[in-house]
Amino acid sequence: MDDENIALNSVLGLELNRVFFAVRETANKQKIIEFAREVLQSECAEFADRVSPEGPAS
């Protein structure tokens, strides 16, 4: 990951944290957690697709 992506992820993480603590209702906090989890899982899957080898050479 390059420096620009690391910085962007840090800013997004801090903003998500700020929003999470600004929300008072537990149900809405759960929605935030679920959304963040979905985004993280899709990012991890995307990263794994870019990093994984093409498979054994024939």
Side-chain angles (χ1 to χ4, degrees):
M1 195 181 286
D2 61 351
D3 290 341
E4 185 177 317
N5 284 340
I6 292 170
L8 180 59
N9 286 341
S10 295
V11 170
L12 290 173
L14 290 172
E15 187 64 16
L16 179 61
N17 193 42
R18 184 191 68 75
V19 169
F20 182 80
F21 286 104
V23 171
R24 297 191 192 282
E25 296 82 19
T26 302
N28 288 336
K29 285 186 177 190
Q30 187 61 37
K31 289 178 185 177
I32 293 170
I33 292 168
E34 290 170 6
F35 174 74
R37 187 173 289 141
E38 288 174 14
V39 170
L40 181 61
Q41 287 173 344
S42 71
E43 289 289 320
C44 287
E46 191 175 304
F47 179 75
D49 289 343
R50 283 186 269 149
V51 174
S52 64
E54 295 290 328
S58 328

Coordinates of all heavy atoms in Angstrom, one line a residue:
M1 N 0.9 -1.2 0.0 CA 0.0 0.0 0.0 C 0.9 1.2 0.0 O 1.9 1.3 0.8 CB -0.9 0.0 1.2 CG -2.0 0.9 1.2 SD -3.1 0.9 2.7 CE -3.9 -0.6 2.5
D2 N 0.6 2.2 -0.8 CA 1.5 3.4 -0.9 C 1.1 4.4 0.2 O 0.0 4.2 0.9 CB 1.4 4.0 -2.3 CG 0.1 4.5 -2.7 OD1 -0.9 4.2 -2.0 OD2 0.0 5.2 -3.7
D3 N 1.9 5.4 0.4 CA 1.7 6.4 1.5 C 0.4 7.1 1.4 O -0.3 7.4 2.4 CB 2.9 7.4 1.5 CG 4.2 6.8 1.9 OD1 4.1 5.7 2.5 OD2 5.2 7.3 1.6
E4 N 0.0 7.4 0.2 CA -1.3 8.1 0.0 C -2.5 7.3 0.5 O -3.4 7.8 1.1 CB -1.5 8.5 -1.5 CG -2.7 9.3 -1.8 CD -2.8 9.7 -3.2 OE1 -1.8 10.1 -3.8 OE2 -3.9 9.7 -3.8
N5 N -2.5 6.0 0.2 CA -3.6 5.1 0.6 C -3.6 5.0 2.1 O -4.6 4.9 2.8 CB -3.5 3.8 -0.1 CG -4.0 3.8 -1.5 OD1 -4.7 4.7 -1.9 ND2 -3.6 2.8 -2.3
I6 N -2.4 4.9 2.7 CA -2.3 4.7 4.2 C -2.8 6.0 4.8 O -3.6 5.9 5.8 CB -0.8 4.5 4.6 CG1 -0.4 3.1 4.1 CG2 -0.6 4.6 6.1 CD1 1.1 2.8 4.2
A7 N -2.5 7.2 4.3 CA -3.0 8.4 4.9 C -4.5 8.5 4.7 O -5.2 8.9 5.7 CB -2.3 9.6 4.2
L8 N -5.0 8.1 3.6 CA -6.5 8.2 3.4 C -7.2 7.2 4.3 O -8.2 7.6 4.9 CB -6.8 7.9 1.9 CG -8.3 7.9 1.5 CD1 -8.9 9.2 1.8 CD2 -8.4 7.5 0.1
N9 N -6.7 6.0 4.5 CA -7.3 5.1 5.4 C -7.3 5.6 6.8 O -8.2 5.3 7.6 CB -6.6 3.7 5.3 CG -7.0 3.0 4.0 OD1 -8.0 3.3 3.3 ND2 -6.2 2.0 3.6
S10 N -6.2 6.2 7.2 CA -6.1 6.8 8.5 C -7.2 7.9 8.8 O -7.8 7.9 9.8 CB -4.7 7.4 8.8 OG -3.8 6.3 8.8
V11 N -7.3 8.7 7.8 CA -8.3 9.8 7.9 C -9.7 9.2 7.9 O -10.6 9.6 8.7 CB -8.2 10.8 6.7 CG1 -9.3 11.8 6.7 CG2 -6.9 11.6 6.9
L12 N -10.0 8.2 7.1 CA -11.3 7.6 7.0 C -11.6 6.9 8.4 O -12.7 6.9 8.9 CB -11.4 6.6 5.9 CG -11.5 7.3 4.5 CD1 -11.4 6.2 3.4 CD2 -12.7 8.2 4.3
G13 N -10.6 6.2 8.9 CA -10.8 5.5 10.2 C -11.1 6.5 11.3 O -11.9 6.3 12.1
L14 N -10.4 7.6 11.3 CA -10.6 8.6 12.4 C -12.0 9.2 12.2 O -12.7 9.5 13.2 CB -9.6 9.8 12.3 CG -8.2 9.4 12.8 CD1 -7.2 10.5 12.4 CD2 -8.2 9.0 14.2
E15 N -12.4 9.5 11.0 CA -13.8 10.0 10.8 C -14.9 9.0 11.1 O -15.9 9.4 11.8 CB -13.9 10.4 9.3 CG -15.2 11.2 9.0 CD -15.3 12.5 9.7 OE1 -14.3 13.0 10.2 OE2 -16.5 13.0 9.7
L16 N -14.7 7.7 10.8 CA -15.6 6.7 11.2 C -15.7 6.6 12.7 O -16.8 6.5 13.3 CB -15.2 5.4 10.6 CG -16.1 4.2 11.0 CD1 -17.5 4.4 10.5 CD2 -15.5 2.9 10.4
N17 N -14.6 6.7 13.4 CA -14.5 6.7 14.9 C -15.3 7.9 15.4 O -16.1 7.8 16.4 CB -13.1 6.8 15.3 CG -13.0 6.4 16.8 OD1 -13.6 5.5 17.3 ND2 -12.1 7.2 17.5
R18 N -15.1 9.1 14.9 CA -15.8 10.3 15.3 C -17.4 10.1 15.1 O -18.1 10.4 16.0 CB -15.4 11.5 14.5 CG -16.0 12.8 15.0 CD -15.7 14.0 14.1 NE -16.4 13.8 12.8 CZ -17.7 14.1 12.6 NH1 -18.4 14.4 13.6 NH2 -18.2 13.9 11.4
V19 N -17.8 9.6 14.0 CA -19.2 9.4 13.7 C -19.8 8.4 14.7 O -20.9 8.6 15.2 CB -19.4 9.0 12.3 CG1 -20.9 8.6 12.0 CG2 -19.1 10.2 11.3
F20 N -19.0 7.3 14.9 CA -19.5 6.3 15.8 C -19.8 6.8 17.2 O -20.9 6.5 17.7 CB -18.5 5.2 15.9 CG -18.9 4.0 16.7 CD1 -19.7 3.0 16.2 CD2 -18.4 3.9 18.0 CE1 -20.1 2.0 17.0 CE2 -18.8 2.8 18.8 CZ -19.7 1.9 18.3
F21 N -18.9 7.6 17.7 CA -19.1 8.1 19.0 C -20.1 9.3 19.1 O -20.7 9.6 20.2 CB -17.8 8.5 19.7 CG -17.0 7.3 20.1 CD1 -15.9 6.9 19.4 CD2 -17.4 6.6 21.2 CE1 -15.2 5.7 19.8 CE2 -16.8 5.4 21.6 CZ -15.7 5.0 20.9
A22 N -20.4 9.9 18.0 CA -21.4 11.0 17.9 C -22.9 10.4 17.9 O -23.8 11.0 18.3 CB -21.2 11.9 16.7
V23 N -23.0 9.1 17.4 CA -24.3 8.5 17.3 C -24.7 7.9 18.7 O -23.9 7.3 19.4 CB -24.2 7.3 16.3 CG1 -25.5 6.5 16.3 CG2 -24.0 7.9 14.9
R24 N -25.9 8.2 19.1 CA -26.3 7.8 20.4 C -27.0 6.4 20.4 O -26.9 5.7 21.4 CB -27.2 8.9 21.0 CG -26.5 10.2 21.3 CD -27.4 11.1 22.1 NE -26.9 12.5 22.1 CZ -25.9 12.9 22.8 NH1 -25.2 12.1 23.6 NH2 -25.5 14.1 22.8
E25 N -27.8 6.1 19.4 CA -28.6 4.9 19.4 C -27.8 3.7 19.1 O -27.0 3.7 18.1 CB -29.7 5.0 18.4 CG -30.8 6.1 18.7 CD -30.3 7.5 18.2 OE1 -29.4 7.6 17.4 OE2 -30.8 8.5 18.7
T26 N -28.0 2.7 19.9 CA -27.2 1.4 19.7 C -27.5 0.8 18.4 O -26.6 0.3 17.7 CB -27.6 0.5 20.9 OG1 -27.2 1.1 22.1 CG2 -26.8 -0.8 20.7
A27 N -28.7 0.9 17.9 CA -29.1 0.2 16.6 C -28.3 0.9 15.5 O -27.8 0.2 14.6 CB -30.6 0.3 16.4
N28 N -28.2 2.2 15.6 CA -27.4 2.9 14.5 C -25.9 2.6 14.6 O -25.3 2.6 13.6 CB -27.7 4.4 14.6 CG -29.1 4.8 14.1 OD1 -29.7 4.1 13.4 ND2 -29.6 5.9 14.6
K29 N -25.4 2.5 15.8 CA -24.0 2.1 16.0 C -23.8 0.7 15.4 O -22.8 0.5 14.7 CB -23.6 2.1 17.5 CG -23.4 3.5 18.0 CD -22.9 3.4 19.4 CE -22.7 4.8 19.9 NZ -21.9 4.9 21.2
Q30 N -24.7 -0.2 15.5 CA -24.6 -1.5 15.0 C -24.6 -1.4 13.4 O -23.8 -2.2 12.8 CB -25.7 -2.4 15.4 CG -25.6 -3.9 15.0 CD -24.3 -4.5 15.6 OE1 -23.9 -4.3 16.7 NE2 -23.7 -5.3 14.8
K31 N -25.4 -0.6 12.9 CA -25.4 -0.4 11.4 C -24.0 0.1 10.9 O -23.5 -0.3 9.9 CB -26.5 0.6 11.0 CG -27.9 0.0 11.1 CD -28.9 1.0 10.7 CE -30.3 0.4 11.0 NZ -31.4 1.4 10.7
I32 N -23.4 1.0 11.7 CA -22.1 1.6 11.3 C -21.1 0.4 11.4 O -20.2 0.3 10.5 CB -21.7 2.7 12.3 CG1 -22.6 3.9 12.0 CG2 -20.2 3.1 12.1 CD1 -22.4 5.0 13.1
I33 N -21.1 -0.4 12.4 CA -20.2 -1.5 12.5 C -20.4 -2.5 11.4 O -19.4 -2.9 10.8 CB -20.4 -2.2 13.9 CG1 -20.0 -1.3 15.0 CG2 -19.7 -3.5 13.9 CD1 -20.4 -1.8 16.4
E34 N -21.6 -2.8 11.0 CA -21.8 -3.7 9.9 C -21.3 -3.2 8.6 O -20.7 -3.9 7.8 CB -23.3 -4.1 9.9 CG -23.8 -4.9 11.0 CD -25.3 -5.1 11.1 OE1 -26.0 -4.6 10.2 OE2 -25.8 -5.6 12.1
F35 N -21.6 -1.9 8.4 CA -21.1 -1.3 7.1 C -19.6 -1.3 7.1 O -19.0 -1.6 6.1 CB -21.6 0.2 7.1 CG -21.1 0.9 5.9 CD1 -21.5 0.7 4.6 CD2 -20.1 1.9 6.1 CE1 -21.0 1.4 3.5 CE2 -19.6 2.6 5.0 CZ -20.0 2.3 3.7
A36 N -18.9 -0.9 8.2 CA -17.5 -0.9 8.2 C -16.9 -2.3 8.0 O -15.9 -2.5 7.3 CB -17.0 -0.3 9.5
R37 N -17.6 -3.3 8.6 CA -17.1 -4.7 8.4 C -17.2 -5.1 6.9 O -16.3 -5.7 6.4 CB -17.9 -5.6 9.3 CG -17.5 -7.0 9.3 CD -18.2 -7.8 10.4 NE -17.8 -7.4 11.7 CZ -18.6 -7.3 12.7 NH1 -19.8 -7.6 12.7 NH2 -18.1 -6.9 13.9
E38 N -18.3 -4.8 6.3 CA -18.5 -5.1 4.9 C -17.5 -4.4 4.0 O -16.9 -5.1 3.1 CB -19.9 -4.7 4.4 CG -21.0 -5.5 4.9 CD -22.4 -5.0 4.6 OE1 -22.5 -4.1 3.7 OE2 -23.4 -5.4 5.2
V39 N -17.2 -3.2 4.3 CA -16.2 -2.5 3.5 C -14.8 -3.1 3.7 O -14.1 -3.4 2.7 CB -16.1 -1.0 3.9 CG1 -14.9 -0.3 3.2 CG2 -17.4 -0.3 3.4
L40 N -14.5 -3.4 4.9 CA -13.2 -4.0 5.2 C -13.1 -5.4 4.5 O -12.0 -5.7 4.0 CB -13.0 -4.2 6.7 CG -11.7 -4.8 7.2 CD1 -10.5 -3.9 6.8 CD2 -11.7 -4.9 8.7
Q41 N -14.1 -6.2 4.6 CA -14.1 -7.5 4.0 C -13.9 -7.4 2.4 O -13.1 -8.2 1.8 CB -15.3 -8.3 4.3 CG -15.3 -8.8 5.7 CD -16.6 -9.4 6.1 OE1 -17.7 -9.3 5.5 NE2 -16.6 -10.1 7.3
S42 N -14.6 -6.4 1.8 CA -14.4 -6.3 0.4 C -13.0 -5.8 0.0 O -12.5 -6.2 -1.0 CB -15.5 -5.4 -0.2 OG -15.3 -4.0 0.2
E43 N -12.5 -4.9 0.8 CA -11.1 -4.4 0.6 C -10.1 -5.6 0.8 O -9.2 -5.7 0.0 CB -10.8 -3.3 1.6 CG -11.5 -2.0 1.3 CD -11.0 -1.3 0.0 OE1 -9.8 -1.3 -0.2 OE2 -11.8 -0.8 -0.7
C44 N -10.3 -6.4 1.8 CA -9.4 -7.5 2.0 C -9.5 -8.5 0.8 O -8.4 -9.0 0.4 CB -9.7 -8.2 3.3 SG -9.2 -7.3 4.8
A45 N -10.7 -8.8 0.4 CA -10.8 -9.7 -0.8 C -10.2 -9.1 -2.0 O -9.5 -9.8 -2.8 CB -12.3 -10.0 -1.0
E46 N -10.4 -7.8 -2.2 CA -9.8 -7.2 -3.4 C -8.3 -7.2 -3.3 O -7.6 -7.5 -4.3 CB -10.3 -5.7 -3.5 CG -9.9 -5.0 -4.7 CD -10.6 -3.6 -4.7 OE1 -11.8 -3.5 -4.6 OE2 -9.8 -2.7 -4.9
F47 N -7.7 -7.0 -2.2 CA -6.3 -7.0 -2.0 C -5.7 -8.5 -2.2 O -4.7 -8.7 -2.9 CB -5.9 -6.6 -0.6 CG -4.4 -6.6 -0.3 CD1 -3.6 -5.7 -0.8 CD2 -3.9 -7.6 0.5 CE1 -2.2 -5.7 -0.6 CE2 -2.5 -7.7 0.8 CZ -1.7 -6.7 0.2
A48 N -6.5 -9.5 -1.7 CA -6.0 -10.9 -1.9 C -6.0 -11.2 -3.3 O -5.2 -12.0 -3.8 CB -7.0 -11.8 -1.1
D49 N -7.0 -10.7 -4.1 CA -7.1 -11.0 -5.5 C -5.9 -10.5 -6.2 O -5.3 -11.1 -7.2 CB -8.3 -10.5 -6.1 CG -9.6 -11.3 -5.7 OD1 -9.4 -12.4 -5.2 OD2 -10.7 -10.7 -5.9
R50 N -5.4 -9.3 -5.8 CA -4.3 -8.6 -6.5 C -3.0 -9.3 -6.1 O -2.0 -9.4 -6.9 CB -4.2 -7.2 -6.1 CG -5.2 -6.3 -6.8 CD -5.0 -4.9 -6.5 NE -5.8 -4.6 -5.4 CZ -5.5 -3.6 -4.5 NH1 -4.4 -2.9 -4.6 NH2 -6.3 -3.4 -3.5
V51 N -2.9 -9.9 -4.9 CA -1.6 -10.4 -4.4 C -1.5 -11.9 -4.7 O -0.4 -12.4 -4.9 CB -1.5 -10.2 -2.8 CG1 -0.3 -10.9 -2.3 CG2 -1.5 -8.8 -2.5
S52 N -2.6 -12.7 -4.8 CA -2.5 -14.1 -5.0 C -1.9 -14.4 -6.4 O -2.1 -13.8 -7.3 CB -3.9 -14.8 -4.8 OG -4.7 -14.3 -5.8
P53 N -1.1 -15.5 -6.4 CA -0.5 -15.9 -7.7 C -1.6 -16.4 -8.6 O -2.7 -16.8 -8.2 CB 0.5 -17.0 -7.3 CG 0.0 -17.5 -6.0 CD -0.7 -16.3 -5.3
E54 N -1.2 -16.4 -9.9 CA -2.2 -16.9 -10.9 C -2.4 -18.4 -10.9 O -3.3 -18.9 -11.5 CB -1.6 -16.5 -12.3 CG -1.5 -15.1 -12.6 CD -2.9 -14.4 -12.7 OE1 -3.8 -15.1 -13.2 OE2 -3.0 -13.2 -12.3
G55 N -1.6 -19.1 -10.2 CA -1.7 -20.5 -10.1 C -0.4 -21.2 -10.7 O 0.5 -20.5 -11.2
P56 N -0.3 -22.5 -10.6 CA 0.9 -23.2 -11.1 C 1.0 -23.0 -12.6 O 0.0 -23.0 -13.3 CB 0.7 -24.6 -10.7 CG -0.8 -24.8 -10.4 CD -1.3 -23.4 -10.0
A57 N 2.2 -22.9 -13.0 CA 2.5 -22.9 -14.5 C 2.2 -24.2 -15.1 O 2.5 -25.2 -14.6 CB 3.9 -22.4 -14.7
S58 N 1.6 -24.2 -16.3 CA 1.3 -25.5 -17.0 C 2.5 -25.9 -17.9 O 3.1 -25.1 -18.5 CB 0.1 -25.4 -17.9 OG -0.9 -24.5 -17.4

